[in-house]
Amino acid sequence: MSEPRSAPTVGQVVLGKRLQDLRERAGLKREEAAKVLRVAPATIRRMETAEVALKIPYVQLLLKAYGITDSEAEGFIALAEEANLPGWWQRFHDVLPGWFSMYVSLEGAASLIRAYEPQFVPGLLQTEGYARAILRSGAVGGSDAEEIERHVALRMERQSLLTRDDAPKFWVIMDETVLRRPVGDGPEVMRDQLDRLLEASELPNVTLQIAEFASGHHPGTYGPFVLFRFAMPELPDMVYSEYLTGAVYLDARPEVASHLEVMDRMAAQAATAQRTKEILKDLRKEL
């Protein structure tokens, strides 16, 4: 039986979809592919949906059954071996829940990340002090000091994403509430956080907008969500929506389209990126 994983890497998701496409092009049903491996059809489904790691001997047999040439199969196998390597974030498996492992994998592979946040500064833009204060408040994980520091370290390491050579476009809309609600024991935490946001706003791949109180109700007030877009054609746009004890990942076109429309409407209604910088500077002066 193939070995289960707590969360697939993006590479496994992509190759799983490619395996499904190759099977369908070969005119084989899952039941027929399963006979090649002498496994249950559910195993084929789990491989194609990245619910399990890609066992190389299985992949080799399937590619042969699908009529793939030796040279093409060799390239596919190399990609499968690379996809099966653990992501850097798996060093934090002790504090990283499986439902968020997938998020970190998608985050690292996305070409565009659009986020709406009504409560907190997004993790990719948090300072250590702000992140630590949020975690201590019980918003994520427990109150154990060592565990909190592990969460902070993970969050800080994720932030290198925004300054790497192939950094994604990161477009964030935050409610004014995020900046008005004090975090930490003193003004220093929020002061440093505002400085961090101002620095991030100068990055060419980062766009920040604030949904001001004065602009009234907007269509995103149901809760936070993140929309991912990828350069890889095998991966559709995805929406991540988090709740208290887990998250859901949506890739159905109608659901993604609805979230995209809401995001566009909020962006049109929120303060412009330039106006947002002025708001941040004004709030900084108040502290």
Side-chain angles (χ1 to χ4, degrees):
M1 180 178 293
S2 297
E3 182 182 349
R5 299 176 66 90
S6 59
T9 64
V10 166
Q12 288 172 332
V13 174
V14 170
L15 292 181
K17 290 181 179 295
R18 287 185 183 175
L19 273 179
Q20 179 179 348
D21 183 56
L22 291 173
R23 174 180 58 78
E24 292 174 347
R25 289 185 182 182
L28 296 178
K29 296 180 180 179
R30 282 179 178 156
E31 291 78 8
E32 294 171 304
K35 289 180 180 179
V36 173
L37 302 183
R38 298 183 180 180
V39 297
T43 297
I44 301 298
R45 177 187 59 77
R46 287 195 290 267
M47 291 177 67
E48 293 177 348
T49 56
E51 294 177 31
V52 294
L54 296 170
K55 298 187 80 169
I56 301 305
Y58 279 8
V59 174
Q60 290 173 323
L61 289 172
L62 289 176
L63 293 177
K64 185 175 181 179
Y66 299 161
I68 304 304
T69 65
D70 290 343
S71 59
E72 290 176 317
E74 184 177 340
F76 194 105
I77 294 301
L79 291 174
E81 290 174 337
E82 182 180 350
N84 283 338
L85 295 175
W88 66 263
W89 59 89
Q90 292 187 24
R91 301 198 315 271
F92 296 90
H93 66 88
D94 54 324
V95 295
L96 186 62
W99 53 265
F100 195 66
S101 295
M102 183 62 176
Y103 180 96
V104 180
S105 182
L106 293 174
E107 184 179 69
S111 59
L112 170 66
I113 305 171
R114 297 185 66 178
Y116 165 60
E117 180 52 69
Q119 302 295 342
F120 303 108
V121 172
L124 288 178
L125 299 176
Q126 291 179 8
T127 64
E128 283 194 29
Y130 185 97
R132 189 173 290 112
I134 291 295
L135 292 163
R136 283 176 178 169
S137 74
V140 179
S143 57
D144 178 78
E146 184 176 348
E147 183 178 337
I148 287 174
E149 290 308 310
R150 290 282 287 161
H151 275 290
V152 172
L154 168 62
R155 199 161 296 182
M156 295 303 105
E157 190 157 349
R158 285 171 52 210
Q159 294 183 3
S160 63
L161 172 75
L162 295 180
T163 53
R164 71 186 190 191
D165 291 340
D166 59 341
K169 170 70 176 176
F170 188 45
W171 185 357
V172 180
I173 299 174
M174 293 181 290
D175 270 346
E176 188 175 340
T177 306
V178 172
L179 306 174
R180 292 291 183 183
R181 177 182 289 113
V183 170
D185 297 330
E188 295 81 9
V189 173
M190 288 303 296
R191 188 181 298 124
D192 290 345
Q193 183 58 69
L194 288 170
D195 287 341
R196 169 71 178 119
L197 291 174
L198 283 166
E199 291 172 3
S201 70
E202 298 299 327
L203 293 173
N205 57 311
V206 174
T207 300
L208 303 183
Q209 290 186 266
I210 295 174
E212 297 179 87
F213 293 146
S215 65
H217 179 272
H218 59 75
T221 50
Y222 298 100
F225 64 93
V226 180
L227 190 147
F228 296 105
R229 179 163 291 169
F230 308 92
M232 295 165 282
E234 294 89 351
L235 282 181
D237 289 356
M238 289 190 189
V239 170
Y240 167 90
S241 182
E242 188 173 319
Y243 52 92
L244 185 62
T245 57
V248 293
Y249 294 86
L250 309 172
D251 62 5
R253 287 187 179 181
E255 292 178 317
V256 173
S258 294
H259 283 80
L260 181 59
E261 180 182 357
V262 165
M263 190 73 82
D264 286 341
R265 289 173 59 189
M266 283 194 293
Q269 187 174 339
T272 64
Q274 186 58 45
R275 166 63 182 154
T276 291
K277 291 180 184 180
E278 298 305 316
I279 294 171
L280 292 172
K281 291 176 183 177
D282 291 342
L283 290 171
R284 176 67 172 77
K285 293 176 183 178
E286 295 177 13
L287 296 174

